[in-house]
Amino acid sequence: MAEAAKALVTRRPRKRPAWRALEAHYKKVRELHLRHMFADDAQRGERLTVEATGLFLDYSKNRITDETIELLVQLAEQSGLRDRIDATFRGDKINVTENRAVLHIALRAPRDASILVDGHNVVPDVHAVLDKMADFCNRVRNGEWKGFTGKRIRNVINIGIGGSDLGPVMAYEALRHYSERSMTFRFVSNVDATDFAEAVHDLDPAETLFIVSSKTFTTLETMANAHTAREWSVKGFGGDENSVSKHFVAVSTNAKEVAKFGIDTANMFEFWDWVGGRYSMDSAIGLSTMLAIGPDNFRAMLDGFHQMDEHFRSAPFERNLPVLMGLLGVWYADFFEAETVAVLPYDQYLKRFPAYLQQLTMESNGKHVTLDGKEVTYQTGPIYWGEPGTNGQHSFYQLIHQGTKLIPCDFIAFTETLNPLGRHHDMLIANVFAQAEALAFGKTAEQVKAEGTPDWLVPHRVFEGNRPSNMILAERLTPETLGKLVALYEHSVFTQGAIWKIDSFDQWGVELGKVLAQRIIPELESAEEPPLNHDSSTNNLIRRYRKASHG
Ligand code: G6Q
């Protein structure tokens, strides 16, 4: 990088010339209404669109002008985004606080690619695990892998939490259409025993396989559930511990702990410390996904991820889907001061997609200091939330249309349905288009009056409009499309992290949660009244619980 460019990158984000220019530019744009921007520019709805890898993004209903995009792209350049992308794909340790490379892109690299971590090409390792997973999945799916009593496996339960749960759950739901319908897939994450109890209540241990998914294999919730599962399973075989090897497999980076738990490491599927939990659904953590949809569909999903990786790496910023979406997010978070983003998939199969994105976006960019440890002076990651349409329309959309908060929306829809029944799909798509239109253009007092509304009611029925949204359209929800969609958001999060100069790949807030409860558990369980040294509220709550549960 040229010296001058380097000097800009080292500046604090708000001191970059493009950020300053955007501050001035914002003052003009905030006064503009989408209604007028569209009226003044007949081509806007066609011009402000990008299509790549089969995903079409219409970003014309955003509160932007051509100049906004130019300035945002300059901001990306002045933030060193190009270098950050190259550093990531090169395997540099860009996760500085954990001194780790960030290489989920290697999980979907083709066999002949070479990506080095400390001089070692990790791509053959990735494919060796994928091949092992495929072989295992084929054997379970065709009945060759039998349970301890010789019955075939009909039920699969993934035990994991956070990144070891949300991706598998989301992908299973999203790709259910492609799943092996003769098998049942369930997911246990919560340490609340209800989660486990409900998951197994109607299952036969002889037909049930548990996948214990944990990068560290030390996570409290997962280990508690895994031990409970082992007791439940072994009991089903009259206490015969030899059954474990037929009914438990592990996905982890920690072979030692896996062996200690009693799972043969031959039945362990490996991944690596350069895969972050929330970026791991396409690693061995996706074993339940592969069991459900089969190895070929899983590889198609990886191919979708890879296509988006290549687009992100090579497309110019102004035509780059993840970069554009990331920059628009920065525009709303830092200039309009929007606190949240709603993700609204108009596809029932994507019902867990917003929950999945919550972790991806908020765990990655919920940070308050820069890479060099300085307090940020601007907003970082917004709150992501959402529900599938059209359901949300009958509840919280009210606030998006007429509330006092600005909520940029990402609509996601498919031109073809996987379940063509009558006119359902046309009705669904009519709704998503209508919502984006209504949010942008609203309804003026004149229009409301012209409908014969009495004067006193007019203000209540006015829609201000000027509510921004993106529309992401794809042809069909396939494994490949899902891979592209997830990678789109992964790289959009990355883009924002680069602008905000934060470490999008650590999660100290989550680590904190992992240790906090450890101190209180013995205080709840000890037979003797324990000395308590918390604050008076926590002490009181502990005493109250002890009294109630110890009788
Ligand atoms: C993800 C987070 C977190 C993690 C879980 C489970 O990025 O680090 O959600 O995935 O805490 O951790 P284990 O896989 O180690 O059990």
Side-chain angles (χ1 to χ4, degrees):
M1 213 194 309
E3 283 310 306
K6 233 185 238 165
L8 283 180
V9 172
T10 52
R11 279 196 200 175
R12 306 208 68 189
R14 290 184 68 174
K15 300 257 186 298
R16 290 173 189 144
W19 189 296
R20 296 219 157 139
L22 279 161
E23 273 167 348
H25 174 71
Y26 162 70
K27 290 192 181 121
K28 285 187 279 167
V29 174
R30 73 173 171 206
E31 306 302 332
L32 305 178
H33 199 293
L34 283 167
R35 215 180 274 145
H36 304 128
M37 290 197 265
F38 270 87
D40 294 346
D41 174 3
Q43 301 305 315
R44 184 180 171 97
E46 282 152 44
R47 195 162 40 81
L48 300 187
T49 62
V50 194
E51 187 162 9
T53 74
L55 295 191
F56 175 77
L57 169 68
D58 174 354
Y59 61 100
S60 63
K61 294 193 189 81
N62 280 290
R63 293 177 64 175
I64 53 168
T65 64
D66 291 344
E67 194 187 349
T68 320
I69 295 296
E70 277 163 34
L71 291 173
L72 286 169
V73 166
Q74 281 173 26
L75 180 63
E77 281 157 2
Q78 292 171 14
S79 306
L81 177 61
R82 172 61 54 210
D83 267 29
R84 297 285 294 164
I85 296 173
D86 292 345
T88 306
F89 280 72
R90 226 178 16 236
D92 288 7
K93 298 194 172 161
I94 63 155
N95 176 358
V96 287
T97 69
E98 294 180 318
N99 192 30
R100 285 178 182 167
V102 175
L103 277 179
H104 39 277
I105 52 115
L107 298 171
R108 50 261 193 162
R111 254 179 224 281
D112 56 358
S114 167
I115 299 171
L116 304 181
V117 176
D118 294 328
H120 170 75
N121 181 10
V122 296
V123 178
D125 303 349
V126 166
H127 281 274
V129 173
L130 278 172
D131 292 342
K132 182 174 169 182
M133 286 165 67
D135 175 59
F136 172 73
C137 290
N138 284 332
R139 282 190 293 142
V140 173
R141 285 163 61 93
N142 68 22
E144 204 181 301
W145 174 290
K146 300 221 176 346
F148 191 55
T149 61
K151 283 190 175 177
R152 63 186 288 169
I153 299 296
R154 303 216 172 266
N155 319 308
V156 173
I157 300 189
N158 185 73
I159 299 179
I161 196 163
S164 302
D165 168 69
L166 287 158
V169 175
M170 182 279 288
Y172 172 65
E173 291 296 343
L175 301 176
R176 215 176 173 137
H177 178 80
Y178 304 88
S179 70
E180 177 51 56
R181 302 290 185 155
S182 66
M183 293 172 75
T184 298
F185 291 85
R186 293 188 184 155
F187 302 84
V188 173
S189 54
N190 201 333
V191 75
D192 183 342
T194 300
D195 208 8
F196 179 80
E198 287 295 335
V200 297
H201 84 280
D202 57 347
L203 301 186
D204 174 1
E207 299 182 334
T208 304
L209 174 80
F210 291 93
I211 305 173
V212 185
S213 296
S214 175
K215 183 171 166 179
T216 54
F217 230 73
T218 54
T219 305
L220 173 97
E221 294 90 332
T222 302
M223 292 336 299
N225 279 319
H227 282 285
T228 302
R230 201 167 78 160
E231 271 167 40
W232 177 86
S233 179
V234 168
K235 197 167 151 219
F237 304 108
D240 194 336
E241 292 276 340
N242 291 322
S243 61
V244 172
S245 64
K246 291 284 166 215
H247 293 271
F248 282 80
V249 298
V251 177
S252 189
T253 58
N254 191 346
K256 210 168 121 217
E257 286 297 321
V258 169
K260 224 160 99 188
F261 178 85
I263 295 177
D264 185 348
T265 45
N267 296 334
M268 169 179 148
F269 300 86
E270 190 193 1
F271 65 120
W272 307 271
D273 73 356
W274 42 263
V275 183
R278 56 196 173 278
Y279 296 89
S280 66
M281 61 170 273
D282 46 339
S283 71
I285 288 290
L287 187 64
S288 59
T289 315
M290 195 193 268
L291 276 167
I293 64 173
D296 290 348
N297 278 322
F298 194 84
R299 285 187 198 277
M301 181 180 83
L302 295 182
D303 182 50
F305 271 101
H306 180 65
Q307 288 179 50
M308 186 56 72
D309 295 343
E310 287 302 301
H311 166 71
F312 178 56
R313 170 154 69 167
S314 57
F317 291 165
E318 62 279 4
R319 310 288 307 157
N320 193 311
L321 285 172
V323 171
L324 280 172
M325 283 189 55
L327 290 173
L328 287 165
V330 169
W331 177 233
Y332 292 118
D334 292 295
F335 298 90
F336 283 83
E337 298 190 348
E339 296 272 329
T340 82
V341 175
V343 182
L344 308 164
Y346 276 62
D347 190 297
Q348 190 60 21
Y349 286 122
L350 290 184
K351 66 180 177 196
R352 295 290 294 172
F353 195 60
Y356 173 77
L357 283 189
Q358 276 187 328
Q359 183 191 25
L360 179 66
T361 58
M362 290 160 74
E363 196 173 344
S364 297
N365 284 343
K367 306 291 160 64
H368 74 124
V369 291
T370 56
L371 286 167
D372 43 4
K374 299 209 174 75
E375 192 77 29
V376 297
T377 53
Y378 41 86
Q379 288 291 322
T380 59
I383 299 159
Y384 273 74
W385 58 287
E387 278 288 321
T390 60
N391 295 10
Q393 289 176 209
H394 298 265
S395 72
F396 57 79
Y397 276 38
Q398 166 62 34
L399 187 147
I400 308 180
H401 281 288
Q402 287 190 306
T404 53
K405 290 168 179 58
L406 182 77
I407 302 181
C409 300
D410 287 351
F411 291 107
I412 302 170
F414 300 92
T415 52
E416 275 177 34
T417 176
L418 296 172
N419 294 297
L421 290 176
R423 297 172 58 220
H424 282 262
H425 199 59
D426 290 345
M427 291 192 271
L428 178 72
I429 298 302
N431 270 281
V432 67
F433 292 169
Q435 287 297 324
E437 186 177 29
L439 287 169
F441 300 104
K443 206 174 199 185
T444 63
E446 290 68 42
Q447 287 172 310
V448 176
K449 273 185 206 154
E451 288 171 353
T453 310
D455 280 357
W456 68 270
L457 195 54
V458 170
H460 298 277
R461 301 191 61 170
V462 164
F463 292 80
E464 197 186 26
N466 220 12
R467 267 67 168 163
S469 66
N470 287 316
M471 180 72 66
I472 300 166
L473 272 187
E475 192 178 285
R476 241 168 116 81
L477 178 54
T478 60
E480 190 184 322
T481 316
L482 183 70
K484 291 173 192 171
L485 271 177
V486 173
L488 168 64
Y489 279 94
E490 286 178 349
H491 298 320
S492 152
V493 162
F494 179 94
T495 299
Q496 297 181 336
I499 308 283
W500 290 324
K501 213 179 170 180
I502 55 179
D503 189 333
S504 301
F505 302 101
D506 60 10
Q507 56 282 313
W508 299 104
V510 173
E511 309 300 334
L512 173 74
K514 292 193 180 188
V515 291
L516 281 183
Q518 297 292 1
R519 178 175 163 205
I520 298 184
I521 294 169
E523 295 172 343
L524 297 182
E525 290 180 337
S526 82
E528 299 299 314
E529 201 58 37
L532 297 176
N533 299 313
H534 303 269
D535 57 276
S536 60
S537 161
T538 310
N539 288 346
N540 190 36
L541 291 167
I542 292 173
R543 283 195 204 102
R544 199 176 167 88
Y545 177 82
R546 284 182 58 86
K547 207 163 148 213
S549 63
H550 292 232

